[in-house]
Amino acid sequence: MGGSLDIRELGELGLIRAIRRRAGAVGGVWRQGIGDDAAILRPRAGRELVVTTDALVEDVHFRFRTTDARSLGHKSLAVNLSDLGATGARPLGCVATLALPRTTPPERLGGFLDGFLAEARSSGCPLVGGDTVEGPVWAVTVTAFGEVRRGRALLRGGGRPADRLVVSGELGGAALGLALLEREVRPPAGAEPFIRRQRHPRPPYRLGAELAERKLATAAIDLSDGLARDLGHLLRESRLGADVHLDRLPLPRRFVPVCAHLGLDPLALALGAGEDYELLFTLAPGAPPVEQLGRRLGVRLTEIGRLRRGRGARYLRDGLPVPLPETGFSHFAAPRRIKAPKPAAER
Amino acid sequence: MGGSLDIRELGELGLIRAIRRRAGAVGGVWRQGIGDDAAILRPRAGRELVVTTDALVEDVHFRFRTTDARSLGHKSLAVNLSDLGATGARPLGCVATLALPRTTPPERLGGFLDGFLAEARSSGCPLVGGDTVEGPVWAVTVTAFGEVRRGRALLRGGGRPADRLVVSGELGGAALGLALLEREVRPPAGAEPFIRRQRHPRPPYRLGAELAERKLATAAIDLSDGLARDLGHLLRESRLGADVHLDRLPLPRRFVPVCAHLGLDPLALALGAGEDYELLFTLAPGAPPVEQLGRRLGVRLTEIGRLRRGRGARYLRDGLPVPLPETGFSHFAAPRRIKAPKPAAER
């Protein structure tokens, strides 16, 4: 693909031209992409448009010491695809605003664009516009657009009592990866998948669209701030409670020993730490058994509990309630996101 | 309206709730506003959707020493309304990403939101989603959506030979305001309108929609980086040249004496400095005379020249060509935006 991009040589206009060239021409629903005051989309009949936006800021969400520019490019789009998927939408395109220091190394900017555009291509979410400005640190804001059949969007508030509560994939891996990166110690054997997971999330955004299209799910949210917190959002908007079986949480292979190696509590990571970008959803009564559905859709799905009347989540182990501390990531109130989880002993 | 907002007290979730409450419920084309993974829009039949995004970064685009938070809130939406108008679109709504230090004074955040939401209300462009994150400085990214009748969008590349070249409003005022703010000297008599213009731009975004709706304009661009530079974009995309009469440029009242007071060249400001957020457009041959059109639309319009075959702009004074230096704002290559224009003597 691209290679490096020297902003001081290109200037703002040259940079926009270079991005436009690399992004390529747009088609499909787009009448106009990069290169005018705005992008223009011709919506398809019978579809609703879904819009989501997310920002990643250097030294808050990531550090170049522990991530590479290409992964950052991938991730800054992927976190938005995750939100689109959670609404049941298929990606249509995106705009990106990039603030960066004028001292940015050319290979860093080139790598970022390569990662971003590769993910844009593979997900069918072309870059159609944006803004490039100077800033004291890197800050990437992406706004992504998707479409969903009229009235089929998945919302947080659609859950009903007795709906099954399902998560895709595995929990806690990204947070463990972050802990490994931030410790700066030689990672133990088997640590590589967790680091990859942190740097290079692969949200199952097509799953949400399938669930919406086939009317299988009643509510959904993507897991960006940790299961406990994101489930809280879903329950609050659905005005319901839930029983969650801790012994059913899908943990990655070698998760428990690597946590032990770092002195971390696996359950705290799986429940309380963010950036898994998996899908949490509630399954309508008429939908097939979860394992069968997962096989059909080609995604690992796990039933972790059920919605019930009442408020808030009740966590059970061996069928008995266990108390949990407040967990999950919050800007401003909590420690900065990139502060990795503390060893259990320090808490 | 609102008053102050303490982020350290509210936390991220409390802040989002407070914004959601102040922004109010959405309706019209919006099925879902703030409060889910994404906003959902039901497009109207026969309309195309227009998307634009712009970022403002502290100490690059503005300083709190020279602007107030309420004006910043207004401006961060207004610059996007300007881009929508330049495409001929009517505003539908927006999402905003706000990066800010955790030490942000509560009245600053409250003021910003008041200014933003007041402009959102008066322009019919409700806030439907966003992201709030921590950052080393303020960085505001707004993505705005508009609609335009199918096939009627104004693009930069639609100009034809002999089309009249028209600007709305007046040129150079915002740049003069910036110079006054950055000099930190007691502003001379009559300086207040320029400072207001810089802090609180009022782009004529309804004008673009009128021109598109009635098929009066063939091409348009908003003046964010200076007439010379933005005209260059329009000409390049239209593959044409233009003759521009310098003696016809619409300068604000008292512009020349206040420029003289600061030792600034009025023409350099009117042509080369940005942030006027006026509309530059080309008028179809069948359209009425410019002054008559302006009266009908309730906007000051000035015919400053014509398109012609060839490449690039030719600037004329008393009908004779005059050479102009390269002007206009560019990130990275040029000095930082908030570095105000230098006195003529220093150039």
Side-chain angles (χ1 to χ4, degrees), chain A residues 31 36 41-42 48-49, chain B residues 31 41-42 48-49 156:
Chain A
R31 274 195 61 215
D36 215 285
L41 179 156
R42 185 168 288 177
E48 288 172 341
L49 219 83
Chain B
R31 275 195 60 215
L41 179 156
R42 186 168 288 177
E48 289 173 340
L49 219 84
R156 296 176 179 180

Side-chain angles (χ1 to χ4, degrees), chain A residues 270-319:
Chain A
L271 274 179
E275 301 205 288
D276 282 321
Y277 298 109
E278 292 293 350
L279 192 67
L280 174 70
F281 61 97
T282 53
L283 210 49
V290 169
E291 282 199 10
Q292 184 188 323
L293 184 65
R295 272 197 306 277
R296 204 200 290 169
L297 299 177
V299 184
R300 177 173 177 185
L301 296 180
T302 308
E303 184 177 329
I304 60 168
R306 270 181 194 270
L307 298 192
R308 55 164 173 73
R309 295 193 192 283
R311 287 294 165 98
R314 190 160 55 188
Y315 292 91
L316 311 168
R317 196 195 304 271
D318 302 325

Side-chain angles (χ1 to χ4, degrees), chain B residues 197-221:
Chain B
R197 175 92 202 198
Q198 161 62 222
R199 284 191 181 142
H200 206 85
R202 303 178 71 83
Y205 53 88
R206 290 191 179 91
L207 169 63
E210 291 284 339
L211 293 171
E213 193 88 6
R214 305 179 190 200
K215 291 190 176 179
L216 294 169
T218 52
I221 187 170

Side-chain angles (χ1 to χ4, degrees), chain B:
Chain B
M1 241 171 295
S4 65
L5 282 174
D6 189 335
I7 31 175
R8 277 183 292 192
E9 195 181 285
L10 290 165
E12 189 185 7
L13 196 58
L15 175 58
I16 293 167
R17 277 197 201 125
I19 295 173
R20 185 182 184 176
R21 205 164 41 238
R22 289 195 192 186
V26 292
V29 297
W30 295 100
R31 275 195 60 215
Q32 170 72 44
I34 300 172
D36 214 284
D37 289 305
I40 304 174
L41 179 156
R42 186 168 288 177
R44 295 201 293 161
R47 296 297 194 291
E48 289 173 340
L49 219 84
V50 169
V51 179
T52 186
T53 190
D54 247 315
L56 297 178
V57 178
E58 186 178 351
D59 294 333
V60 177
H61 300 90
F62 67 91
R63 286 194 238 273
F64 283 113
R65 191 167 51 67
T66 56
T67 195
D68 59 296
R70 201 185 153 93
S71 295
L72 177 66
H74 164 92
K75 187 168 179 173
S76 58
L77 179 53
V79 300
N80 282 281
L81 294 173
S82 181
D83 280 315
L84 288 185
T87 323
R90 291 186 192 280
L92 287 177
C94 62
V95 297
T97 295
L98 190 53
L100 72 183
R102 64 172 66 194
T103 54
T104 292
E107 63 283 2
R108 179 171 290 176
L109 181 53
F112 172 84
L113 257 185
D114 286 348
F116 191 99
L117 293 176
E119 180 69 352
R121 259 177 227 111
S122 75
S123 63
C125 193
L127 181 67
V128 299
D131 194 14
T132 52
V133 299
E134 193 174 349
V137 298
W138 275 62
V140 188
T141 300
V142 175
T143 304
F145 314 99
E147 64 172 12
V148 63
R149 210 179 281 277
R150 204 166 163 140
R152 295 276 174 91
L154 300 175
L155 298 177
R156 296 176 179 180
R160 286 164 305 189
D163 280 354
R164 287 162 284 166
L165 196 58
V166 183
V167 290
S168 69
E170 297 162 342
L171 301 175
L176 179 53
L178 179 61
L180 286 160
L181 287 166
E182 291 286 321
R183 292 296 171 86
E184 293 184 316
V185 293
R186 208 184 119 88
E192 191 39 52
F194 305 117
I195 291 173
R196 198 164 55 238
R197 175 92 202 198
Q198 161 62 222
R199 284 191 181 142
H200 206 85
R202 303 178 71 83
Y205 53 88
R206 290 191 179 91
L207 169 63
E210 291 284 339
L211 293 171
E213 193 88 6
R214 305 179 190 200
K215 291 190 176 179
L216 294 169
T218 52
I221 187 170
D222 76 320
L223 294 177
S224 53
D225 292 339
L227 176 67
R229 194 175 161 87
D230 290 321
L231 173 58
H233 295 318
L234 190 149
L235 295 179
R236 208 165 21 250
E237 296 294 327
S238 292
R239 298 166 181 275
L240 288 172
D243 285 336
V244 177
H245 299 277
L246 293 177
D247 20 25
R248 293 199 201 151
L249 299 185
L251 305 182
R253 230 172 68 82
R254 292 199 50 77
F255 182 69
V256 174
V258 176
C259 280
H261 184 93
L262 296 187
L264 293 169
D265 174 0
L267 197 61
L269 252 61
L271 275 179
E275 302 204 289
D276 282 320
Y277 298 109
E278 293 293 348
L279 191 67
L280 174 69
F281 61 97
T282 53
L283 209 50
V290 168
E291 282 199 11
Q292 185 187 319
L293 184 65
R295 273 197 306 276
R296 203 200 291 168
L297 300 176
V299 183
R300 176 174 177 185
L301 296 181
T302 308
E303 184 176 329
I304 59 168
R306 271 181 194 272
L307 299 191
R308 56 165 174 72
R309 295 194 192 284
R311 287 293 165 98
R314 191 160 54 187
Y315 292 91
L316 310 167
R317 197 195 305 271
D318 300 326
L320 295 173
V322 283
L324 280 190
E326 177 87 32
T327 46
F329 182 79
S330 166
H331 278 276
F332 310 118
R336 300 180 143 216
R337 175 167 279 173
I338 52 169
K339 213 174 229 172
K342 282 182 190 165
E346 289 178 29
R347 274 194 298 239

